[in-house]
């Protein structure tokens, strides 16, 4: 990207980039000067207006009591809950219930292993959003250039569009089970999803989203009505194991599907932009981390509930493994656990599909407007952010229409989206790691060495799982021995990668030192001048990015070709 064009866009008088001259430290109640921030949309500056409270931009909170801490948390809470619960979407319902009916709770331990992955990934984008004020897609574009930025944004747009289609597949399946006309339900769901974000009130959208978050808790009464043995569920969660009488290849592919549906690329883009839009600053970092942990707990409890009640309801019935979609699971639950259980599951599926579609749609609209320099805030009316709302509305409407199209291979499309998400996730995590080691971007908030080692190991595991997933889609007769060889080889290389990335990921320090005082950390914001410079990448990082991108392009293309071939055969 030509730097003079970037200068004009970032510093355009038509969109002034005003930063507050001071900020309030909630821990001390004192005002401290801040740097001129890189925030691109002035609507991202001002009072925090959450679903459950308001924090004025310059209000001194005074002495901190338990009551004031709670009020601050209630005002800040939202981004972590919405991104996590939005991930327990239609695809997750399909994957978790498939695992539960096929293997009981024997694969439940994978959720516990994913907790630190979820937290580390989302905590990094939380820091990026609060400290920089600039969306994930724009940061990649500006710091790494048009070549890498374009790939990341195109990947996101394609995958998100397909993911929203799968959410409306969930709406359609829930409507079919509940006996409601599918066309009417899909159209109404699309209208609610578009309308909730288009009122010009951030608070109004967040209250609707939090109502959907509350709706996700319906999985708990379903669990209690089916009443699986708590000791069995706890054992499956805490003790790793594999199904005794199932091929390793089948179990491994389901584990990969669990990883793919639990950790998705859109989450990174959504939470960073939503944190910015909510006007969260570094001063509220610890409250937002609590919000993230609450979201992770809810998503793990919901997923574990689906494992548990499908395992208990279908055990010893001969029905396990015969339900191919969420509507079939609802019917099976009604047959073996009671009509109320089936109805509650269908309503929970409808709720999950709607919050998933809203979150994924917003992540795309935020990214599109962010990289094109358009206004992009839920605080704005439709008239003052036309491009942002047009992208969001068009994605939702088109996805809903595709689901209603005749002869659409819905099951195959859902499977293909999960496969592509698994293929593309390593790339998103690599750029996340690089940005979180960029001292010009995060200043004193850069990653610790321990976090770098952990994230590098996660990246390599994701690449290994991506290889297995891609190979299994392309070569359906892949043997258990071949899958085990890939795992062992990938694990050995992952140990080396974990330490290697820590040596080459962090560029030479030019910004503030990591040992800055607490007050400096709480008030530090990325300066706008950072957007006018390219990150200095080492030769090792450049080679690694080229190799990774080459693999992902090939894998992406092969998977698409395979899905098209299967769709043609089925048709």
């Amino acid at each position: 990207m030509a730097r003079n064009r970037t200068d004009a866009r970032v510093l355009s008088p038509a969109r002034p980039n005003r930063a507050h001259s001071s900020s309030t430290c909630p821990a001390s109640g004192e005002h401290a000067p801040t740097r001129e921030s890189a925030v691109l949309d002035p609507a991202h500056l001002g009072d925090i207006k959450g679903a459950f409270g308001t924090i004025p931009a310059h209000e001194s909170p005074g002495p901190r009591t338990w009551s004031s801490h709670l009020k601050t948390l209630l005002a800040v809470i939202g981004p972590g809950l919405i991104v996590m619960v939005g991930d327990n979407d239609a695809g997750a319902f399909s994957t978790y219930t498939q695992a539960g009916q096929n293997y009981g709770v024997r694969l439940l331990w994978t959720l516990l292993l994913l907790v630190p992955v979820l937290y580390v990934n989302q905590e990094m984008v939380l820091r990026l959003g609060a400290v920089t004020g600039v969306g994930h897609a724009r940061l990649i574009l500006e710091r790494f250039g048009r070549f890498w930025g374009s790939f990341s944004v195109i990947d996101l747009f394609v995958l998100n569009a397909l993911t929203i289609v799968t959410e409306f597949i969930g709406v359609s399946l829930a409507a079919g089970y509940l006996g409601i006309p599918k066309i009417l339900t899909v159209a109404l769901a699309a209208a609610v999803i578009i309308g909730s974000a288009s009122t010009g009130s951030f608070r109004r959208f967040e209250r609707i989203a939090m109502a959907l978050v509350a709706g996700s808790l319906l999985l708990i009464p379903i669990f209690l009505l089916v009443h699986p043995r708590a000791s069995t569920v706890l054992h499956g969660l805490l003790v790793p194991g594999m199904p005794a009488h199932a091929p390793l290849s089948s179990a491994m592919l389901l584990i990969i599907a669990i990883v793919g549906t639990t950790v998705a690329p859109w989450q990174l883009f959504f939470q960073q932009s939503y944190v910015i839009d909510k006007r969260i600053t570094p001063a509220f970092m610890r409250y937002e981390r609590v919000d993230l942990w609450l979201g992770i707990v809810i998503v793990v409890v919901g997923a574990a509930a689906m494992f548990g009640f499908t395992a208990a309801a279908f055990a010893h019935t001969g029905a396990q493994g015969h339900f191919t979609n969420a509507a079939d699971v609802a019917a099976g639950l009604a047959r073996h656990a009671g009509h109320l259980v089936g109805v509650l599951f269908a309503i929970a599926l409808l709720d999950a599909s709607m919050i998933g579609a809203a979150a994924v749609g917003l992540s795309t609209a935020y990214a599109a407007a962010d990289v094109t320099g358009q206004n992009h805030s839920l605080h704005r009316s439709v008239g003052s952010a036309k491009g942002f709302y047009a992208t969001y509305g068009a994605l939702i409407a088109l996805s809903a229409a595709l689901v209603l199209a005749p002869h659409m291979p819905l099951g195959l499309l859902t499977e293909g989206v999960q496969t592509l998400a698994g293929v593309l996730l390593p790339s998103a995590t690599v750029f996340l790691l690089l940005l979180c080691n960029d001292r010009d971007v995060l200043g004193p908030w850069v990653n610790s060495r321990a976090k770098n080692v952990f994230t590098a190991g996660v990246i390599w595991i994701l690449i290994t799982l991506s290889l297995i997933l891609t190979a299994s889609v392309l070569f359906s007769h892949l043997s258990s021995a071949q899958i085990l060889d890939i795992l062992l080889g990938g694990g050995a290389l992952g140990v080396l990668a974990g330490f290697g990335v820590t040596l080459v990921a962090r560029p030479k320090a030019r910004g503030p030192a990591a040992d800055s005082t607490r007050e400096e950390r709480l008030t530090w914001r990325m300066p706008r001048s950072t957007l006018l410079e390219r990150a200095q990448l080492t030769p090792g990082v450049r080679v690694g990015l080229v190799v990774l991108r080459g693999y992902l392009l090939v894998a992406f293309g092969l998977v698409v070709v395979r899905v098209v071939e299967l769709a043609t055969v089925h048709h």
Side-chain angles (χ1 to χ4, degrees):
M1 176 178 293
R3 309 320 295 168
N4 59 342
R5 291 181 62 187
T6 304
D7 291 11
R9 184 168 60 252
V10 175
L11 304 179
S12 168
R15 293 190 179 91
N17 191 337
R18 298 185 295 272
H20 293 301
S21 60
S22 65
S23 68
T24 302
C25 171
S28 64
E30 299 177 355
H31 291 281
T34 64
R35 304 168 66 92
E36 190 175 27
S37 75
V39 173
L40 298 175
D41 187 337
H44 295 158
L45 298 169
D47 299 346
I48 295 174
K49 298 179 179 179
F52 307 118
T54 299
I55 303 176
H58 298 290
E59 181 183 83
S60 175
R64 306 303 292 171
T65 64
W66 281 108
S67 174
S68 62
H69 278 304
L70 179 60
K71 289 179 180 178
T72 302
L73 177 61
L74 288 174
V76 170
I77 203 169
L81 278 170
I82 294 169
V83 74
M84 287 290 99
V85 174
D87 195 48
N88 255 4
D89 58 359
F93 268 58
S94 175
T95 300
Y96 298 147
T97 56
Q98 190 70 43
Q101 63 170 304
N102 284 4
Y103 305 123
V105 295
R106 292 181 183 87
L107 298 181
L108 189 53
W109 54 272
T110 56
L111 294 177
L112 209 57
L113 290 183
L114 288 173
V115 167
V117 178
L118 279 171
Y119 178 76
V120 169
N121 272 11
Q122 295 306 128
E123 192 275 340
M124 285 194 285
V125 291
L126 161 61
R127 269 185 289 133
L128 283 171
V131 174
T132 69
V134 178
H136 200 64
R138 181 62 174 269
L139 277 181
I140 294 174
L141 190 71
E142 297 291 351
R143 298 301 287 167
F144 304 112
R146 183 185 294 274
F147 178 76
W148 296 112
S150 298
F151 271 124
S152 298
V153 172
I154 291 170
D155 287 350
L156 178 75
F157 287 1
V158 172
L159 186 58
N160 280 9
L162 294 173
T163 301
I164 297 171
V165 174
T166 68
E167 308 299 359
F168 280 102
I169 292 173
V171 171
S172 174
L173 292 174
Y177 176 79
L178 294 171
I180 307 171
K182 291 184 180 181
I183 295 178
L184 176 63
T185 306
V186 170
L188 284 176
V192 170
I193 293 167
I194 294 173
S196 64
S198 306
T199 64
S201 169
F202 183 95
R203 170 172 288 163
R204 192 171 295 121
F205 169 80
E206 186 162 275
R207 284 177 173 170
I208 294 171
M210 296 301 282
L212 292 174
V213 168
S216 71
L217 299 178
L218 279 174
L219 293 170
I220 296 176
I222 296 174
F223 182 89
L224 297 175
L225 287 169
V226 177
H227 53 81
R229 292 180 59 184
S231 59
T232 302
V233 175
L234 191 61
H235 183 272
L237 186 65
L238 299 177
V239 181
M242 297 295 284
H245 305 293
L248 176 62
S249 56
S250 300
M252 275 306 307
L253 293 180
L254 198 46
I255 289 174
I256 295 168
I258 293 170
V259 173
T261 195
T262 307
V263 187
W266 70 263
Q267 294 172 285
L268 309 180
F269 292 83
F270 172 81
Q271 188 172 16
Q272 184 165 333
S273 291
Y274 195 82
V275 162
I276 294 165
D277 204 4
K278 189 161 183 177
R279 301 164 176 171
I280 304 295
T281 66
F284 301 97
M285 194 77 74
R286 58 178 174 172
Y287 295 101
E288 191 49 52
R289 285 170 174 155
V290 173
D291 173 43
L292 177 58
W293 272 118
L294 288 173
I296 291 173
V297 168
I298 289 178
V299 81
V300 171
V301 167
M306 283 188 271
F307 270 84
F309 64 64
T310 51
F314 303 138
H316 313 299
T317 65
Q320 60 267 36
H322 291 93
F323 305 112
T324 57
N325 60 53
D328 289 343
V329 171
L333 288 171
R335 191 159 50 250
H336 297 288
H339 177 69
L340 178 60
V341 171
V343 170
L344 289 177
F345 182 80
I347 294 174
L349 171 62
L350 179 61
D351 177 273
S353 302
M354 291 181 65
I355 192 172
V360 178
L362 276 177
S363 77
T364 313
Y366 277 132
D370 206 31
V371 299
T372 56
Q374 300 179 72
N375 291 330
H376 49 294
S377 173
L378 294 173
H379 293 283
R380 291 187 176 276
S381 66
V382 173
S384 65
K386 295 184 182 69
F388 170 68
Y389 287 112
T391 301
Y392 177 73
L395 268 174
I396 299 299
L398 181 60
S399 300
L402 284 175
V403 170
L404 296 176
H407 310 301
M408 181 64 64
L410 301 182
L412 186 60
L413 182 59
T414 302
E415 181 182 346
V417 169
Q418 291 175 342
T419 303
L420 291 175
V423 168
L424 295 176
L425 183 59
S427 176
T429 310
V430 165
F431 282 111
L432 175 60
L433 179 61
L434 292 173
L435 286 170
C436 285
N437 281 279
D438 190 335
R439 205 175 291 279
D440 289 334
V441 169
L442 279 184
W445 292 93
V446 291
N447 274 4
S448 65
R449 189 168 296 276
K451 187 163 288 186
N452 282 338
V453 171
F454 178 83
T455 308
V458 168
I459 290 170
W460 197 263
I461 291 172
L462 292 174
I463 291 174
T464 303
L465 295 177
S466 172
L467 283 168
I468 295 173
L469 188 58
T470 305
S472 66
V473 170
L474 300 176
F475 311 106
S476 56
H477 300 296
L478 199 66
S479 68
S480 298
Q482 290 170 319
I483 287 178
L484 193 58
D485 288 341
I486 296 174
L487 275 176
L488 293 175
L493 290 173
V495 173
L496 298 176
F499 291 97
V501 169
T502 62
L503 299 177
V504 299
R506 182 172 294 181
K508 294 181 180 179
R510 297 184 298 175
D515 58 356
S516 301
T517 65
R518 182 171 182 271
E519 184 178 353
E520 289 171 334
R521 283 169 58 85
L522 293 179
T523 58
W524 198 89
R525 301 298 299 273
M526 183 181 81
R528 71 173 71 172
S529 60
T530 298
L531 285 182
L532 309 180
E533 302 173 358
R534 291 281 175 83
Q536 301 299 312
L537 300 179
T538 64
V541 171
R542 292 184 183 278
V543 171
L545 286 175
V546 171
V547 172
L548 177 61
R549 174 51 65 180
Y551 157 69
L552 293 177
L553 278 175
V554 172
F556 187 96
L558 290 174
V559 170
V560 170
V561 169
R562 179 61 174 165
V563 170
V564 171
E565 288 178 350
L566 290 174
T568 304
V569 171
H570 289 174
H571 180 73

